[in-house]
Amino acid sequence: MKNSSEITFSHEWIYKLENKGHWTLYWHQLNLILNKSGLSKDAKIIEIGVGSGLTSSYLRRKGYQVTTLDIDENKNPDIQANIIEDELPGADVYLAFEIFEHIPFESAKKVWKELAENKVDKLFFSIPHAYKTYFFAEYYLPKLGRKTIHIGRKRNYIHTKNHHWELGINHITTESIKQILSETGYTIDYSYRYRNHHFFAASLS
């Protein structure tokens, strides 16, 4: 683990095969971008947090223009930058899946404000819930669509050492995130929870 200006992260995991649950999160990221947004292939996209590189690589293969940005040189980003300290480059779209919890909440709010001030039209991101899952099942019913059974309990503390905050801790909720984004100028187009992760798609009003 490293710590630079309160940004906490690790890169060891990118050299290992992620579990099935993690691969499902990639599908939800791409489904949100490709099927829920009407995103043009002419849009200039910046992805904060390279991770394994799967999302950016997939989008590029589909013809989208993606530039990656990360503080960690080990992830080989197109742009190495600190989103707290450095000026964010201009773009039409920003992606930030499982990123904002790695910086203090107040810093995340400043980043959202900066993106709005820079006229970034669309923002796609996800944030983890502080929740312990005991059982999860997903099934499909004709006429009723996709249904899930999710059994678990709320955590009273942050379980992951590289996270500064999570949904459900210190009064941070999906509704408070929506309110903050609204105050910066963003409207939530799409918002849903999958397992212990909440996905958001927002457009500049």
Side-chain angles (χ1 to χ4, degrees), residues 1-3 6-13 98-104 158-166:
M1 184 187 74
K2 298 182 179 179
N3 189 308
E6 297 186 293
I7 298 179
T8 54
F9 59 94
S10 64
H11 60 257
E12 293 81 4
W13 67 273
E98 307 297 297
I99 296 300
F100 293 126
E101 69 273 11
H102 292 276
I103 64 178
I158 295 174
H159 184 255
T160 304
K161 64 181 180 180
N162 288 327
H163 292 183
H164 286 273
W165 59 278
E166 294 180 356

Side-chain angles (χ1 to χ4, degrees), residues 33-34 39-41 43 45 59-66:
I33 299 165
L34 298 176
L39 189 63
S40 168
K41 289 187 177 180
I45 303 170
L59 290 171
R60 286 167 176 164
R61 288 296 295 257
K62 295 296 183 182
Y64 291 87
Q65 306 172 48
V66 184

Side-chain angles (χ1 to χ4, degrees), residues 178-194:
K178 292 176 184 179
Q179 179 62 35
I180 292 167
L181 286 170
S182 176
E183 292 170 357
T184 63
Y186 282 103
T187 298
I188 298 295
D189 299 320
Y190 206 76
S191 166
Y192 73 96
R193 178 175 178 172
Y194 176 75

Side-chain angles (χ1 to χ4, degrees), residues 7-179:
I7 298 179
T8 54
F9 59 94
S10 64
H11 60 257
E12 293 81 4
W13 67 273
I14 67 173
Y15 304 114
K16 304 174 183 178
L17 178 65
E18 294 118 303
N19 60 37
K20 290 181 180 180
H22 200 142
W23 280 83
T24 304
L25 296 179
Y26 288 132
W27 183 88
H28 281 275
Q29 294 174 18
L30 292 163
N31 182 55
L32 190 67
I33 299 165
L34 298 176
N35 296 332
K36 303 297 183 182
S37 67
L39 189 63
S40 168
K41 289 187 177 180
D42 295 326
K44 182 179 179 182
I45 303 170
I46 289 182
E47 180 185 34
I48 302 176
V50 177
S52 66
L54 191 148
T55 297
S56 58
S57 296
Y58 189 91
L59 290 171
R60 286 167 176 164
R61 288 296 295 257
K62 295 296 183 182
Y64 291 87
Q65 306 172 48
V66 184
T67 300
T68 57
L69 183 153
D70 204 298
I71 193 174
D72 186 0
E73 63 181 4
N74 292 285
K75 298 188 179 79
N76 298 313
D78 298 315
I79 300 172
Q80 186 177 357
N82 180 325
I83 63 172
I84 293 178
E85 299 178 354
D86 299 329
E87 183 177 350
L88 296 175
D92 302 305
V93 179
Y94 262 75
L95 314 177
F97 296 106
E98 307 297 297
I99 296 300
F100 293 126
E101 69 273 11
H102 292 276
I103 64 178
F105 188 62
E106 291 301 316
S107 296
K109 291 164 63 175
K110 291 178 182 178
V111 171
W112 297 334
K113 182 179 179 181
E114 182 177 351
L115 293 176
E117 291 173 347
N118 289 349
K119 306 300 181 183
V120 174
D121 184 53
K122 291 185 180 294
L123 175 60
F124 300 92
F125 64 100
S126 62
I127 298 171
H129 284 270
Y131 197 83
K132 172 66 175 177
T133 296
Y134 298 120
F135 176 81
F136 180 86
E138 187 173 17
Y139 57 96
Y140 183 86
L141 294 175
K143 298 183 180 181
L144 296 178
R146 185 179 66 89
K147 300 294 180 181
T148 60
I149 299 174
H150 196 173
I151 300 173
R153 65 175 176 82
K154 178 183 175 299
R155 292 186 188 275
N156 295 318
Y157 62 95
I158 295 174
H159 184 255
T160 304
K161 64 181 180 180
N162 288 327
H163 292 183
H164 286 273
W165 59 278
E166 294 180 356
L167 293 173
I169 299 289
N170 295 329
H171 307 292
I172 301 174
T173 65
T174 56
E175 291 306 315
S176 63
I177 297 296
K178 292 176 184 179
Q179 179 62 35

